[in-house]
Amino acid sequence: MNTITFTIERFDPETDPAPHTETYTVDINEGARVLDTLHAVREQCDPSLTYRYCCGSGQCGSCTVQVNGEPVLACMHEACDGMAVAPLNLPVERDLKVEMKSYLQDLTGITPGIFTGYLTVEANEAIRPIRDCIECLACVSECPAVAVTAFAGPTAMRQEMRIALDPRDDRDRASLTVDEGLFTCTTCQRCLEVCPKHIEIPGKAIEKLREIAHREGLTLPKHQTVADMVRATGRGVDRIMPTVLEQVPEVIEPVGKVRGEVGFFVGCMYNGRLPDTALKMLAVLRRNGIRVIIPPEQVCCGSPLIRTGQTEFIRELKRINIGCFTKRGIETVLTMCAGCGSTLKNDYDTPYRVIDINELMTEYGIEPPVSSSIPMTYHDPCHLRRGQGVTEEPRAILRMLTDDFREMPARCCGAGGGVRSGMAEVAADLGRDRREAIAETGAAAIVTSCPFCEFHIGEHSAVPVINITTLLFESYEKRDEESGEDSGWKDLPCREEE
Amino acid sequence: MVNIMPGDHVTDCHVLVIGSGGAGCRAALEASQYGETVLLSRTLTGKGGCTVMAEGGYNAVLAEEDSTGLHFEDTMRGGAYLNDPELADILVTESPDRFRDLTAWGSVFDVEEDCVPAQRPFGGQRFNRTCYAGDRSGHEMIATLTEQIRNTGIRQMQETSAIDLLMDGRRVAGAVTLDGDGTLGVITADATILATGGGTRCYDISTNCAAGTGDGFALGYRAGATLIDMEMVQFHPTGAVYPPDSRGRLITEAVRGEGGVLKNSLGERFMERYDTERMELSTRDVVSRSIATEILEGRGSEHGGVYLDVTHLPAAEIERRLPIMLEQFLQFGVDIRIQPMEVAPTAHHLMGGLKINPDAATTLPGLYACGEVAGGIHGANRLGGNALADTQVFGKRAGEAAGKAPAITLQVDIDEVLATEAARCDAYCRGTTPPHEITRELKHAMWDNAGIFRTKAGLKEVEATVSRLQNLVPKAADRRMLNECCTVTNMLTVARLIIHGALLREESRGAHVRQDITQDWTPADSPFGHTVQSLFGTAIEERRGAA
């Protein structure tokens, strides 16, 4: 027997004006799950505690609750001392029990339901990966788009795709899913992160439904414009200022000893919209002994097209982007754009290793920056945190930059998945949510590592948004100013005119 | 203290289906073709019951080389010839069609090659006839059935329990309900289907979900229906043993179907001593007794089980065919790709239940039963893979027969019924003992004395315990606990039925082993037929022409 103390968020709509937190101490067996501790509370403390459960083996999806802010199946998640148990972010019926019936009722099924034979291996394999859903609604409860707009939600989209893949169904459902908010999903992958069955809803349902919608001419005009531009220019943004690729030579040698060598995949946003941020990052690497090779013929990674279902010329983009690095014998390719990094890592099959700037700096180690005491918070770019699993590296660097680092909940800012361009009002609502979260931390600056987040949060936040490498750049600059030394690390060589 | 739903406390329909597992969902889909159908569920639709957590598969004769005759023989032999042959024949004959229904409605069972369902070997069967969707076969079925239900006009009443059948004289005319807030209601129906599933939660170690409390057996019994073979409790050979709160959690037979081997602490593949021919894929009764014997004789594992090992299989095969097992064990710190599982028998399935005819009609007019709450199909031991098939075959039959039932004019005083039930609930509110204290004692007593090995003395002991517990009044500290009090009362009834059946059956047969009895007959020539229990008496049938 072990004794644990933990909290449960209680709420009885009949008597309580608002939810409140209660602390319980109970005796439990070794290895007890969260559900076992809830049973223990009912038996040992308060028989009125209300929660839903049934199978006890992770299969019925009844018992999902939040533990320390993350949705988990109570019957499978191990209980621990000090945990905070709360209901999902769905309308609460009582205590930990939330309203699920109306959502489940609206999930679609096969019609007409006539036996025409068994599935082919191909159809079976296609449907299988999105068929394991236990309808626990963890994804719906955490979806940022569901929170701000009329979006049917991740698992409804998963179910639509499962039907769309099924030769037994005779309906065309793509247009319907557009009405259900198909284009409001930011592909933030929070649904995948919280799914107890690890179903890849963004990649295997949302983006595939968008492909179908695209084939049926339902692509949003703004998304179409981006695709047209990539097709015509190789870039997802138009040229309004000198780009990175126009300014830098193919090889930038570091000052001092060469500690490493990477190819640099610039990405459209840093290349054409935020070139100064990219140049500062290159200077930081130059100071830290990394040789950077920048093939000038690289093009858009294709992320804005894949995320919006416009995949017909992705192969050509991949061919160029793979070829330009491999022909130079580059073994590691650096990205500083979270979206490009996630795309190269997950949507490409690259013969080279892809590494995010935060991973690179962690792997090689960097000259410790001058620390400040400015309160700072960090916004996790979705395509870095969930797309690439990079969370600790930027935090570790940030802790070198400030002794007042403040966490805030990792939520999508609204810029991804083509939502910023195609569904501006949804993106704006999510941006405003971020503004509030940032304000709550009391931070004087918000640091991030993604051009879309930088741009979008910048429009909505009251405090400045700074790229993590820019912060390093400024810190090194300050050190040089104080010491009066200058190795010339900031003076990037210019591209030679041909 | 007890609320009665004001004004509209009565819901009327043509067919009332109680229970939303595989059988209930299938019955409701069928019945809804004939008239307004209510699907009543104490959980969310589909999430209760054991179908959603069933892992291994669905037996259906699909291959040309297989035959329903062979399936019938396997089922009868596995059931120690206690099965009602007519029901068993219906099961094997109609199971393929019901599998095709599921396919038509969108189920995604694994395929071997294009348009050919994959089928795996299961215990006690001479042909690979268990269709599967990885090791989440029941989940696949429930997903399919609930999707269809959402497409129909079936009225779902969720998170509401049936606490008694509504009687119009001897006829069943619906049910009295209690919702999560403790509010009573009445559903009147021309025909009522019990599809409430099994009841092995009255054992300390059980695979069943929280809803596996056997309420349907108790409701039927109280209403006067006849139940048969209630002593026939299947102990699944492989339940989890660790950590303590997870004891009993089902480790699917598919693990052995895919090649898993059982070993004791000496590393011996001990099934060689018990069933050389079928080894790990012997019938469940045999494997359970073998494991229990190994443990009792001191060759058990660290946590009191034996080892079930798949580490000789390629990791990719385990990941594909047993993903749920892999994931569940990983949650508990065991990687089954490189480490053996520890397993021990766990109470799994009640073969007995309400006596039904081929139309799934019980002995009470207006009442039908399908799925685990019905008895007779599986005899003294059920084959793995036959339960999911049973839910569909008899679910459809019950739905069809109930749907075709004529409309009735009710002659029952609803207010009086509600007043009686309210009085019962008030008694719970004034009760003496927390429900969990009653169930805890019941579960241990049942496990100790009405488990795999039974004796008359042990059965008498547990009978006395149950009698004592039945004299306690479970206490509802809050009106939202009234359901739990009703459930505890039902569990005690089910336990008593199991014990009585076990005392009546003075032989060892299938899953029922009486260590205090020596017999000189084999199951095939047993002098006994069904045990029969109802409010009006108990007996064991004598078989004509037997030894």
Side-chain angles (χ1 to χ4, degrees):
Chain A
M1 275 289 179
N2 299 324
T3 300
I4 68 163
T5 300
F6 69 107
T7 65
I8 302 176
E9 188 178 303
R10 302 289 305 265
F11 180 54
D12 184 342
E14 285 174 25
T15 53
D16 300 341
H20 59 282
T21 300
E22 294 276 349
T23 303
Y24 299 96
T25 300
V26 291
D27 295 327
I28 54 165
N29 285 317
E30 188 191 339
R33 306 288 116 175
V34 173
L35 182 60
D36 301 315
T37 64
L38 299 180
H39 293 331
V41 169
R42 278 196 82 212
E43 293 179 4
Q44 298 169 29
C45 311
D46 182 354
S48 74
L49 177 66
T50 304
Y51 50 97
R52 196 183 267 126
Y53 66 100
C54 198
C55 78
S57 59
Q59 279 300 90
C60 75
S62 299
C63 67
T64 327
V65 294
Q66 290 190 62
V67 171
N68 299 331
E70 289 295 306
V72 297
L73 294 175
C75 67
M76 297 306 288
H77 190 82
E78 188 162 359
C80 65
D81 194 48
M83 66 182 175
V85 182
L88 293 180
N89 294 317
L90 293 172
V92 175
E93 289 183 357
R94 184 175 296 110
D95 296 339
L96 300 172
K97 194 169 160 188
V98 295
E99 212 293 301
M100 297 174 78
K101 301 180 190 82
S102 55
Y103 190 91
L104 295 176
Q105 177 59 39
D106 288 341
L107 295 175
T108 190
I110 290 266
T111 61
I114 296 163
F115 182 72
T116 53
Y118 299 102
L119 288 176
T120 60
V121 172
E122 190 188 358
N124 193 292
E125 294 292 322
I127 298 169
R128 223 179 131 105
I130 55 171
R131 186 60 175 162
D132 290 347
C133 176
I134 56 172
E135 297 178 353
C136 70
L137 303 192
C139 60
V140 178
S141 75
E142 288 293 309
C143 175
V146 166
V148 299
T149 187
F151 175 39
T155 204
M157 291 294 122
R158 175 205 55 74
Q159 182 65 4
E160 294 288 3
M161 188 61 207
R162 169 259 173 286
I163 300 286
L165 284 167
D166 202 312
R168 293 168 293 194
D169 191 84
D170 63 0
R171 293 165 298 175
D172 168 21
R173 303 194 59 90
S175 58
L176 191 66
T177 63
V178 175
D179 295 340
E180 288 175 340
L182 177 62
F183 286 106
T184 64
C185 163
T186 64
T187 69
C188 75
Q189 305 202 45
R190 178 65 175 155
C191 52
L192 168 58
E193 186 177 44
V194 301
C195 178
K197 299 292 168 181
H198 322 297
I199 303 174
E200 294 173 45
I201 295 178
K204 295 213 158 93
I206 300 283
E207 289 168 12
K208 299 296 178 203
L209 281 169
R210 289 176 177 180
E211 273 183 43
I212 297 172
H214 178 58
R215 286 200 294 274
E216 297 183 2
L218 298 169
T219 296
L220 299 181
K222 290 261 174 77
H223 294 166
Q224 179 73 51
T225 307
V226 175
D228 290 345
M229 197 169 343
V230 175
R231 195 192 293 266
T233 68
R235 285 293 166 196
V237 299
D238 53 355
R239 186 188 183 283
I240 53 172
M241 61 180 85
T243 67
V244 173
L245 289 171
E246 287 167 2
Q247 297 179 58
V248 296
E250 212 175 295
V251 180
I252 300 178
E253 292 291 345
V255 292
K257 189 171 147 250
V258 180
R259 297 166 61 227
E261 175 187 293
V262 292
F264 178 37
F265 186 87
V266 186
C268 299
M269 283 294 283
Y270 283 121
N271 187 51
R273 286 287 180 275
L274 299 164
D276 282 351
T277 310
L279 295 173
K280 283 176 179 159
M281 183 281 288
L282 289 171
V284 167
L285 290 189
R286 193 158 179 259
R287 179 168 175 131
N288 278 287
I290 309 293
R291 174 191 288 140
V292 181
I293 303 165
I294 312 168
E297 66 267 38
Q298 57 180 286
V299 291
C300 170
C301 70
S303 175
L305 311 183
I306 297 169
R307 307 284 92 82
T308 58
Q310 307 178 88
T311 50
E312 65 269 32
F313 56 99
I314 291 298
R315 277 173 68 144
E316 178 62 8
L317 301 179
K318 287 185 181 175
R319 190 187 62 76
I320 297 168
N321 289 330
I322 290 173
C324 68
F325 289 103
T326 48
K327 84 172 185 202
R328 290 173 172 84
I330 295 165
E331 287 170 3
T332 301
V333 171
L334 167 71
T335 56
M336 70 180 295
C337 169
C340 297
S342 177
T343 302
L344 292 183
K345 284 178 179 174
N346 302 314
D347 297 286
Y348 279 53
D349 187 12
T350 55
Y352 47 76
R353 176 181 174 226
V354 179
I355 190 169
D356 172 72
I357 179 67
N358 295 282
E359 293 176 298
L360 181 83
M361 292 192 293
T362 305
E363 190 170 307
Y364 283 92
I366 52 168
E367 175 192 331
V370 180
S371 186
S372 78
S373 45
I374 301 168
M376 292 185 198
T377 186
Y378 174 71
H379 168 80
D380 280 289
C382 297
H383 291 277
L384 191 58
R385 178 189 179 88
R386 291 180 280 267
Q388 303 180 54
V390 175
T391 56
E392 273 316 302
E393 295 88 341
R395 284 175 168 76
I397 294 167
L398 206 45
R399 285 193 192 95
M400 293 194 275
L401 283 156
T402 175
D403 53 22
D404 189 0
F405 171 60
R406 302 174 179 192
E407 286 283 6
M408 68 172 182
R411 297 272 286 180
C412 178
C413 71
V419 171
R420 186 178 147 84
S421 63
M423 292 273 174
E425 66 293 349
V426 174
D429 282 344
L430 292 171
R432 279 189 284 274
D433 282 356
R434 283 281 82 178
R435 177 197 177 98
E436 285 164 25
I438 295 161
E440 243 172 68
T441 66
I446 172 149
V447 181
T448 191
S449 190
C450 166
F452 295 94
C453 300
E454 283 169 53
F455 236 91
H456 192 63
I457 296 173
E459 280 181 7
H460 294 281
S461 170
V463 298
V465 185
I466 313 167
N467 183 284
I468 193 161
T469 55
T470 303
L471 212 53
L472 281 169
F473 180 93
E474 289 170 0
S475 159
Y476 292 150
E477 224 177 12
K478 194 173 165 202
R479 171 169 296 150
D480 284 357
E481 273 168 27
E482 283 167 5
S483 67
E485 288 173 20
D486 183 5
S487 63
W489 61 284
K490 290 193 287 184
D491 309 322
L492 294 179
C494 291
R495 182 178 168 83
E496 289 167 25
E497 291 303 322
E498 281 159 30
Chain B
M1 178 138 186
V2 174
N3 300 342
I4 293 177
M5 282 170 74
D8 59 351
H9 56 261
V10 179
T11 303
D12 186 49
C13 62
H14 176 50
V15 176
L16 167 64
V17 182
I18 305 172
S20 69
C25 286
R26 185 64 183 82
L29 283 170
E30 199 66 23
S32 67
Q33 297 176 36
Y34 299 91
E36 196 184 347
T37 299
V38 169
L39 180 56
L40 179 71
S41 181
R42 66 190 270 189
T43 60
L44 294 175
T45 301
K47 289 187 183 292
C50 292
T51 304
V52 73
M53 56 195 295
E55 292 158 355
Y58 179 114
N59 292 343
V61 172
L62 299 175
E64 268 182 34
E65 311 80 62
D66 196 6
S67 77
T68 52
L70 208 57
H71 188 188
F72 177 79
E73 283 173 24
D74 287 344
T75 299
M76 293 297 291
R77 184 179 169 210
Y81 304 98
L82 187 62
N83 325 53
D84 180 329
E86 195 179 3
L87 298 179
D89 185 57
I90 289 169
L91 173 74
V92 302
T93 307
E94 296 181 6
S95 163
D97 283 338
R98 298 295 79 79
F99 187 71
R100 283 185 270 274
D101 289 349
L102 289 168
T103 306
W105 293 334
S107 68
V108 187
F109 276 75
D110 288 16
V111 288
E112 191 73 49
E113 52 188 276
D114 276 354
C115 310
V116 178
Q119 294 182 286
R120 61 166 51 122
F122 248 42
Q125 301 195 69
R126 285 169 289 171
F127 202 89
N128 296 358
R129 66 168 73 91
T130 306
C131 307
Y132 59 91
D135 57 0
R136 42 165 287 277
S137 308
H139 172 263
E140 181 59 44
M141 285 172 58
I142 282 293
T144 303
L145 293 165
T146 49
E147 280 167 27
Q148 284 304 303
I149 283 170
R150 290 164 190 158
N151 281 344
T152 68
I154 294 168
R155 180 167 171 197
Q156 300 174 52
M157 288 180 69
Q158 304 181 69
E159 303 193 301
T160 301
S161 300
I163 58 166
D164 262 318
L165 293 172
L166 180 69
M167 302 306 291
D168 184 359
R170 243 200 101 228
R171 182 182 183 84
V172 173
V176 182
T177 62
L178 187 64
D179 69 14
D181 293 329
T183 305
L184 286 165
V186 165
I187 302 171
T188 58
D190 299 324
T192 301
I193 299 173
L194 276 179
T196 45
T200 63
R201 291 298 289 190
C202 65
Y203 285 90
D204 183 37
I205 299 172
S206 162
T207 61
N208 281 194
C209 66
T213 45
D215 301 76
F217 303 100
L219 262 62
Y221 179 76
R222 279 206 297 278
T226 297
L227 291 92
I228 59 171
D229 301 332
M230 285 300 287
E231 70 282 5
M232 291 302 175
V233 180
Q234 177 166 80
F235 292 86
H236 194 289
T238 56
V241 296
Y242 187 83
D245 290 322
S246 297
R247 277 180 316 157
R249 179 173 51 82
L250 179 65
I251 313 302
T252 174
E253 184 165 327
V255 174
R256 283 170 289 136
E258 296 295 343
V261 294
L262 289 164
K263 290 177 184 166
N264 61 20
S265 60
L266 307 175
E268 297 167 331
R269 207 171 151 192
F270 57 82
M271 281 310 294
E272 280 166 2
R273 285 201 292 277
Y274 303 92
D275 188 340
T276 323
E277 192 191 328
R278 298 184 294 185
M279 297 293 285
E280 281 84 0
L281 287 179
S282 183
T283 47
R284 289 176 176 177
D285 50 348
V286 174
V287 182
S288 283
R289 278 195 293 276
S290 309
I291 294 173
T293 304
E294 291 296 310
I295 298 168
L296 284 171
E297 292 179 359
R299 296 185 292 275
S301 63
E302 183 190 352
H303 297 104
V306 295
Y307 297 105
L308 174 59
D309 195 347
V310 290
T311 56
H312 56 287
L313 300 177
E317 202 168 303
I318 294 168
E319 286 155 17
R320 182 177 170 81
R321 303 219 187 182
L322 303 168
I324 305 277
M325 289 299 102
L326 176 60
E327 188 183 307
Q328 283 184 355
F329 272 96
L330 282 174
Q331 296 261 3
F332 295 101
V334 175
D335 185 343
I336 66 171
R337 291 168 295 198
I338 51 173
Q339 294 168 279
M341 297 162 250
E342 277 186 83
V343 298
T346 168
H348 185 50
H349 185 98
L350 295 184
M351 273 75 71
L354 275 81
K355 182 179 166 65
I356 59 167
N357 71 10
D359 283 334
T362 69
T363 55
L364 292 180
L367 183 66
Y368 301 79
C370 55
E372 197 172 336
V373 76
I377 300 151
H378 307 290
N381 173 61
R382 176 177 65 76
L383 295 183
N386 268 358
L388 290 183
D390 168 4
T391 64
Q392 299 306 288
V393 169
F394 290 94
K396 179 191 189 278
R397 283 190 160 247
E400 186 177 347
K404 287 177 176 169
I408 55 165
T409 311
L410 203 62
Q411 296 185 340
V412 51
D413 185 341
I414 300 283
D415 291 337
E416 192 186 312
V417 168
L418 285 171
T420 306
E421 295 291 352
R424 177 182 168 198
C425 292
D426 283 340
Y428 290 143
C429 293
R430 295 189 307 272
T432 51
T433 314
H436 70 266
E437 287 183 14
I438 299 175
T439 50
R440 181 174 299 153
E441 191 173 350
L442 171 70
K443 284 161 177 267
H444 284 108
M446 286 296 284
W447 184 257
D448 290 344
N449 285 311
I452 300 176
F453 299 112
R454 300 163 173 179
T455 62
K456 184 173 183 176
L459 290 165
K460 285 285 180 193
E461 190 181 325
V462 61
E463 185 184 35
T465 303
V466 171
S467 295
R468 182 167 49 74
L469 295 175
Q470 281 184 314
N471 281 328
L472 303 172
V473 182
K475 177 170 178 55
D478 181 287
R479 63 195 157 87
R480 296 193 283 265
M481 287 177 69
L482 286 171
N483 266 321
E484 197 179 343
C485 294
C486 293
T487 295
V488 169
T489 308
N490 291 340
M491 289 169 79
L492 290 165
T493 303
V494 173
R496 181 172 281 284
L497 289 165
I498 292 170
I499 296 162
H500 266 231
L503 283 165
L504 281 170
R505 186 171 297 283
E506 297 187 325
E507 66 170 343
S508 293
R509 192 162 174 190
H512 171 71
V513 175
R514 283 282 299 267
Q515 288 180 311
D516 55 332
I517 293 194
T518 48
Q519 65 195 56
D520 58 1
W521 59 83
T522 63
D525 56 15
S526 164
F528 299 117
H530 302 300
T531 58
V532 180
Q533 302 186 67
S534 79
L535 287 177
F536 314 107
T538 61
I540 184 160
E541 292 173 354
E542 310 253 326
R543 284 211 314 197
R544 281 167 300 168

